[in-house]
């Protein structure tokens, strides 16, 4: 073999090695690019899913706020509509109405952020249940009844023909809390 043939074979071999090495490098770069793109795509999907979950959570909370306001208002209307039977005034509130109220109340209760707000809602629930004819869960003290009688006498002496129901003030407080929560949800 002469020198020209050796140089030609060496050049061909070297060219093949360089081609193979550059193909391997190109393959590794492409593989790395695809991995990076897949990783970025997965992160993008995760961000979208997270935002979607936040939107769903926000919608569930808004629905709970609306449901509480609607059902509590309907329950108060039912409480305010006594039926006269045999000359006696009776409250006729179906158990299903109270169940819906309790369901809306508990959905709303878990959204409350402060103990003060929870206490206002708890007090409102007690009043609704009491006016619906259910016993107070924590019982009645003698002083509670005495205070109520003295308050009633004071109201009658102020010129009221019918005692104003404090429950509406408490309902307004609950709706104010709902409004505050709704504003916070809409900001986020």
């Amino acid at each position: 073999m002469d020198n020209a043939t050796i140089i030609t074979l060496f050049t061909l071999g070297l060219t093949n090695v360089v081609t193979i090495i550059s193909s391997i490098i190109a393959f590794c770069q492409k593989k790395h690019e695809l991995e990076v793109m897949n990783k970025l795509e997965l992160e993008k999907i995760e961000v979208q899913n997270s935002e979607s979950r936040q939107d769903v959570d926000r919608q569930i909370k808004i629905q709970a706020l609306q449901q509480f306001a609607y059902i509590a208002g309907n329950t108060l209307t039912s409480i305010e509509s006594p039926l006269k039977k045999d000359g006696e005034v009776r409250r006729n509130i179906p158990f299903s109405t109270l169940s819906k109220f309790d369901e809306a109340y508990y959905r709303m209760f878990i959204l409350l952020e402060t103990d003060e707000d929870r206490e206002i809602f708890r007090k409102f629930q007690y009043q609704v249940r009491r006016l619906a004819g259910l016993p107070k869960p924590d019982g009645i003290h003698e002083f509670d009844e005495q205070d109520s009688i003295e308050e009633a006498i004071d109201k009658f002496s102020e010129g009221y023909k019918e005692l104003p129901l404090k429950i509406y003030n408490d309902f307004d407080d609950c709706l104010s809390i709902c409004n505050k929560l709704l504003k916070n949800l809409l900001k986020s």
Side-chain angles (χ1 to χ4, degrees):
M1 265 206 249
D2 63 10
N3 269 346
T5 308
I6 293 176
I7 291 175
T8 305
L9 288 176
F10 181 74
T11 305
L12 283 174
L14 190 58
T15 304
N16 285 338
V17 169
V18 168
T19 304
I20 291 171
I21 290 174
S22 61
S23 296
I24 290 172
I25 290 173
F27 173 77
C28 290
Q29 284 178 336
K30 190 66 171 175
K31 183 179 175 185
H32 179 69
E33 286 176 11
L34 288 173
E35 287 174 356
V36 169
M37 287 177 54
N38 284 341
K39 186 177 179 181
L40 290 175
E41 189 65 31
L42 286 174
E43 288 175 3
K44 182 180 174 184
I45 290 171
E46 286 178 20
V47 167
Q48 288 174 344
N49 286 344
S50 174
E51 289 173 356
S52 176
R53 277 191 296 264
Q54 288 174 350
D55 287 344
V56 168
D57 287 348
R58 183 181 305 120
Q59 288 302 320
I60 289 171
K61 290 174 182 178
I62 289 171
Q63 187 178 20
L65 292 167
Q66 291 171 335
Q67 185 181 22
F68 173 78
Y70 177 74
I71 290 176
N74 284 342
T75 304
L76 285 181
T77 301
S78 296
I79 288 172
E80 276 290 293
S81 306
L83 298 175
K84 287 192 174 197
K85 232 180 194 178
D86 304 327
E88 184 180 327
V89 175
R90 295 183 185 179
R91 302 205 186 279
N92 187 20
I93 299 174
F95 181 72
S96 62
T97 302
L98 289 175
S99 293
K100 287 179 185 176
F101 171 77
D102 280 343
E103 180 182 346
Y105 165 78
Y106 289 118
R107 283 185 180 183
M108 186 61 208
F109 193 81
I110 60 173
L111 298 178
L112 299 174
E113 298 169 350
T114 65
D115 288 337
E116 181 181 292
D117 291 347
R118 286 185 195 95
E119 189 57 37
I120 290 170
F121 268 77
R122 193 175 293 118
K123 182 179 174 186
F124 178 69
Q125 184 205 27
Y126 288 171
Q127 289 174 329
V128 167
R129 294 176 68 79
R130 184 73 172 153
L131 288 174
L134 297 175
K136 273 189 172 180
D138 55 352
I140 299 175
H141 299 289
E142 286 180 42
F143 299 111
D144 289 343
E145 288 186 1
Q146 183 63 31
D147 292 343
S148 298
I149 292 170
E150 289 173 4
E151 185 178 313
I153 291 170
D154 290 343
K155 293 294 182 188
F156 279 122
S157 67
E158 292 174 12
Y160 286 99
K161 288 184 178 180
E162 186 176 316
L163 290 178
L165 289 176
K166 184 178 181 319
I167 194 167
Y168 285 104
N169 292 335
D170 293 334
F171 184 48
D172 286 343
D173 292 343
C174 290
L175 291 179
S176 295
I177 293 168
C178 289
N179 189 26
K180 177 181 73 174
L181 290 172
L182 183 61
K183 285 180 182 178
N184 289 341
L185 285 172
L186 294 177
K187 284 180 187 177
S188 60

